[in-house]
């Protein structure tokens, strides 16, 4: 069994544990140039971790039946349980440092999130429709914003055959923007913006506002939250504290309806999911269960013998700015990319209040896993291994399929250009306001809009990156018993 160092406050595991939800194409392991003479040692290390902690370790082949001299990527795949239907998520990497940075929201980026959709009836030309722009990113500094349409890169029209090479062409790119004329989307060659990538840490608290409707006795808090990350290396809790300040504002203004926009949120740290849920939940406290974990039989026995029968139950926090006493429900805006920690918050709140989902079905990821590196620093190989699954206080965990969570109100976000966050005419927020009973404004003059057909349904980031779906638990480092 893996030897876990004790953590002083929660007495739990000694590794970075996270949930992830990735499509097959997103978890393709990288290859390595390591000399084959070292493969046996790497593969022995891989097997040891998998045989101990993997949720499906009983289904692995015997180590003696495997060739430990082959590339670790190929070796690892031989251990995976039903790759296409069950464990779609475990993977191996030859650059654990780069993967760790990615999980911590640090990367060299332009700072754009977008959908790719067709702009013509022939389904040839594409537009990149900006869903949001990262705060403090080069894209924001250059003037890009939600609702902008990128039609050309470095002067070349985006098409279904060249978009990959264009987006990955350079760290500096010139974007030609587009506009809607009638129901047609065309490039505006007079509007070009040059953007150069930079390494930044993304602030997940993208936007918040309070919509006051005294005639309807409604004060609506609206928050756009893009990933569950508590802070930075310099300030470990800066983003969680920013969340707390948002809810302090909501509380001081008497918010009695909440719209939580998680449509761009692929997951992140459990600690931040716990913080957010604890700011929202009705009638919750540190004595109430937020979620439960189920590990393999060895670890269920281990945790319960060490910490008692409730060792795998995790409770809410006592948050001073909790607004649950003013709420009877929470609206959550979702998409196919809403995953992992986002789904954990939705599922964890359901036993305590009505959770109304609006948008598309979520990704469907109730499995949790861990990122493993070699504690002896012999190589850069690392593993992302599925360890088990989560459930809420009512033992509900029925969304771990490709269909995810079905929304209460199915709304496709295909009207472009996208409206600004907080606009009462923005597609998904508009539906939430309709359900709340707030009519659409009649005095606002709308610019030209049109509907588009998606080319890739999920939101992308920067160079065609589909965000990893994850849930990361802050914990110390683990060692393998020798």
């Amino acid at each position: 069994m893996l030897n876990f160092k004790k953590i002083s406050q929660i007495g739990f595991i000694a590794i970075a544990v996270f949930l992830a939800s990735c499509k097959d194409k997103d978890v393709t392991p990288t290859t390595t140039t390591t000399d084959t003479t070292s493969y046996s040692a790497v593969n022995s290390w891989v097997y040891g971790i998998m045989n101990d902690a993997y949720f499906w370790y009983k289904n692995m082949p015997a180590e003696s039946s495997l060739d430990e001299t082959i590339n670790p990527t190929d070796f690892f795949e031989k251990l995976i349980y039903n790759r296409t239907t069950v464990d779609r998520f475990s993977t191996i990497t030859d650059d654990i440092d780069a993967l760790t940075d990615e999980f911590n929201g640090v990367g060299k980026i332009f700072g754009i999130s977008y959908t790719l959709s067709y702009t013509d009836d022939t389904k040839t030309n594409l537009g990149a429709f900006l869903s949001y722009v990262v705060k403090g990113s080069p894209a924001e500094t250059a003037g890009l914003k939600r609702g902008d349409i990128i039609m050309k890169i470095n002067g070349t029209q985006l098409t279904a055959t060249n978009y990959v090479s264009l987006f990955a062409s350079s760290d500096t790119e010139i974007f030609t923007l587009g506009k809607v004329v009638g129901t047609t989307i065309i490039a505006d060659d007079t509007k070009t913006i040059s953007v150069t990538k930079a390494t930044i840490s993304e602030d997940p608290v993208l936007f918040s506002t309070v919509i006051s409707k005294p005639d309807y006795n409604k004060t609506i808090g609206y928050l756009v939250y893009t990933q569950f990350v508590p802070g930075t290396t310099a300030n470990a809790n800066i983003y969680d504290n920013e969340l707390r300040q948002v809810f302090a504002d909501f509380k001081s203004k008497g918010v009695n309806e909440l719209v939580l926009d998680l449509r761009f949120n692929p997951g992140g740290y459990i600690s931040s999911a716990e913080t957010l849920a604890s700011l929202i939940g009705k009638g919750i406290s540190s004595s109430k269960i937020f979620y439960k974990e189920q590990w393999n039989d060895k670890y269920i026995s281990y945790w319960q013998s060490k910490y008692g029968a409730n060792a795998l139950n995790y409770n809410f926090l006592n948050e001073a700015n909790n607004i649950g006493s003013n709420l009877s429900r929470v609206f959550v805006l979702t998409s196919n990319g809403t995953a992992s920690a986002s789904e954990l918050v939705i599922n964890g709140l359901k036993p305590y209040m009505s959770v109304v989902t609006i948008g598309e079905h979520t990704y469907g990821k109730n499995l949790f896993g861990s990122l493993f590196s070699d504690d002896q620093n012999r190589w850069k190989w690392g593993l992302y291994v599925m360890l088990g699954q989560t459930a809420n206080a009512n033992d509900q965990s029925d969304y771990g399929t490709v269909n995810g969570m079905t929304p209460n109100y199915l709304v496709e976000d295909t009207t472009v250009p996208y409206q600004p966050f907080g606009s009462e005419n923005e597609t998904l927020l508009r539906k939430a306001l309709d359900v709340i009973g707030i009519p659409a404004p009649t005095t606002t003059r709308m610019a030209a809009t049109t509907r588009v057909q998606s080319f890739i349904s999920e939101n992308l980031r920067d160079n065609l990156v589909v965000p990893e779906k994850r849930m990361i638990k802050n914990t110390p480092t683990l060692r393998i018993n020798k």
Side-chain angles (χ1 to χ4, degrees):
M1 174 160 288
L2 298 176
N3 180 26
F4 296 94
K5 297 177 182 177
K6 186 174 181 180
I7 181 168
S8 59
Q9 291 186 340
I10 60 174
F12 200 55
I13 40 183
I15 46 177
V17 179
F18 58 89
L19 279 174
S21 171
C22 313
K23 297 180 180 177
D24 294 343
K25 66 180 181 180
D26 303 325
V27 299
T28 303
T30 54
T31 58
T32 182
T33 56
T34 305
D35 192 294
T36 56
T37 57
S38 66
Y39 284 169
S40 292
V42 174
N43 289 333
S44 178
W45 171 78
V46 168
Y47 195 92
I49 290 175
M50 295 287 283
N51 191 49
D52 185 89
Y54 191 42
F55 194 46
W56 301 280
Y57 78 95
K58 290 182 178 180
N59 300 96
M60 294 192 332
E63 187 173 11
S64 60
S65 69
L66 301 172
D67 180 1
E68 290 191 336
T69 67
I70 64 175
N71 187 290
T73 297
D74 299 325
F75 182 86
F76 181 77
E77 285 301 311
K78 296 181 182 298
L79 310 181
I80 299 302
Y81 177 63
N82 289 352
R83 168 60 86 189
T84 58
T85 58
V86 180
D87 184 6
R88 298 170 288 149
F89 314 109
S90 296
T91 192
I92 188 170
T93 177
D94 66 353
D95 191 346
I96 189 64
D97 294 335
L99 190 59
T100 301
D101 281 346
E102 180 185 334
F103 289 159
N104 282 289
V106 178
K108 188 176 183 181
I109 60 174
F110 297 119
I112 56 175
S113 176
Y114 56 93
T115 57
L116 284 175
S117 296
Y118 295 107
T119 60
D120 59 1
D121 293 336
T122 65
K123 295 184 179 180
T124 300
N125 294 331
L126 298 176
F129 298 86
L130 298 195
S131 307
Y132 73 89
V133 174
V134 174
K135 288 197 296 187
S137 68
E140 184 186 56
T141 300
L144 289 171
K145 62 185 184 303
R146 172 175 166 83
D148 283 340
I149 307 168
I150 296 174
M151 295 291 286
K152 297 179 181 180
I153 295 179
N154 299 328
T156 302
Q157 171 66 48
L158 287 168
T159 70
T161 58
N162 70 11
Y163 70 97
V164 173
S165 60
L166 288 178
F167 266 107
S169 61
S170 174
D171 282 356
T172 297
E173 293 181 341
I174 299 174
F175 300 132
T176 300
L177 303 186
K179 59 184 178 181
V180 178
V181 179
T183 58
T184 303
I185 302 170
I186 62 172
D188 184 349
D189 291 327
T190 66
K191 293 184 178 180
T192 60
I193 294 179
S194 178
V195 186
T196 300
K197 288 182 180 179
T199 300
I200 66 168
S201 177
E202 179 178 341
D203 183 345
V205 186
L206 184 62
F207 180 85
S208 67
T209 192
V210 172
I211 302 171
S212 181
K213 297 293 180 180
D215 291 345
Y216 301 91
N217 196 29
K218 295 295 184 181
T219 304
I220 304 148
Y222 174 64
L223 169 66
V224 184
Y225 188 62
T226 61
Q227 58 179 336
F228 291 83
V229 177
T232 65
T233 302
N235 188 334
N237 298 305
I238 187 172
Y239 300 144
D240 275 1
N241 288 335
E242 189 178 355
L243 264 183
R244 294 182 173 105
Q245 287 302 309
V246 168
F247 278 83
D249 182 57
F250 287 170
K251 190 171 186 177
S252 70
K253 292 177 179 175
V255 162
N256 55 21
E257 296 279 9
L258 177 64
V259 180
L260 178 61
D261 195 337
L262 297 181
R263 76 184 99 168
F264 313 113
N265 195 314
Y269 286 86
I270 290 177
S271 61
S272 293
E274 193 175 31
T275 299
L276 180 60
S278 299
L279 289 163
I280 297 171
K282 186 176 183 66
I284 57 92
S285 68
S286 58
S287 65
K288 299 292 182 68
I289 294 173
F290 173 37
Y291 78 100
K292 304 176 182 181
E293 291 179 351
Q294 181 181 3
W295 295 58
N296 70 35
D297 58 344
K298 292 184 292 185
Y299 274 95
I300 289 176
S301 176
Y302 173 75
W303 296 130
Q304 291 182 347
S305 66
K306 194 170 181 65
Y307 301 113
N310 295 323
L312 298 178
N313 295 345
Y314 294 88
N315 294 350
F316 290 93
L317 306 173
N318 291 321
E319 288 287 346
N321 296 314
N322 172 277
I323 63 171
S325 61
N326 283 344
L327 303 176
S328 63
R329 59 190 174 183
V330 57
F331 294 87
V332 183
L333 310 185
T334 64
S335 74
N336 301 151
T338 301
S340 297
S342 291
E343 293 170 305
L344 183 73
V345 168
I346 295 169
N347 197 48
L349 289 174
K350 283 183 175 180
Y352 304 96
M353 61 198 306
S354 174
V355 181
V356 182
T357 50
I358 296 172
E360 298 174 297
H361 70 80
T362 64
Y363 196 90
K365 181 65 168 61
N366 61 356
L367 294 172
F368 65 90
S370 297
L371 191 65
F372 294 82
S373 61
D374 177 38
D375 63 331
Q376 299 180 46
N377 296 316
R378 291 169 292 178
W379 42 69
K380 291 294 186 180
W381 288 97
L383 302 178
Y384 163 42
V385 180
M386 291 298 100
L387 303 180
Q389 68 180 30
T390 63
N392 65 19
N394 293 340
D395 295 313
Q396 296 166 325
S397 183
D398 58 356
Y399 59 91
T401 70
V402 293
N403 295 320
M405 297 174 174
T406 302
N408 297 106
Y409 297 93
L410 177 62
V411 181
E412 293 186 357
D413 193 11
T414 57
T415 299
V416 296
Y418 297 130
Q419 295 295 302
F421 291 128
S423 167
E424 293 184 38
N425 288 310
E426 194 279 316
T427 305
L428 268 60
L429 178 57
R430 178 67 258 152
K431 183 62 179 181
L433 294 174
D434 286 343
V435 177
I436 291 170
I438 308 298
T442 58
T443 58
T444 303
R445 182 177 179 180
M446 291 288 292
T449 61
T450 190
R451 294 181 68 87
V452 291
Q453 181 176 346
S454 295
F455 176 66
I456 296 177
S457 60
E458 191 171 342
N459 275 278
L460 305 175
R461 293 186 181 181
D462 281 270
N463 292 349
L464 302 169
V465 175
V466 176
E468 293 281 345
K469 283 71 175 178
R470 58 208 182 249
M471 188 181 298
I472 311 161
K473 181 173 287 183
N474 287 320
T475 48
T477 306
L478 88 115
R479 297 182 290 110
I480 299 175
N481 282 340
K482 299 299 182 183

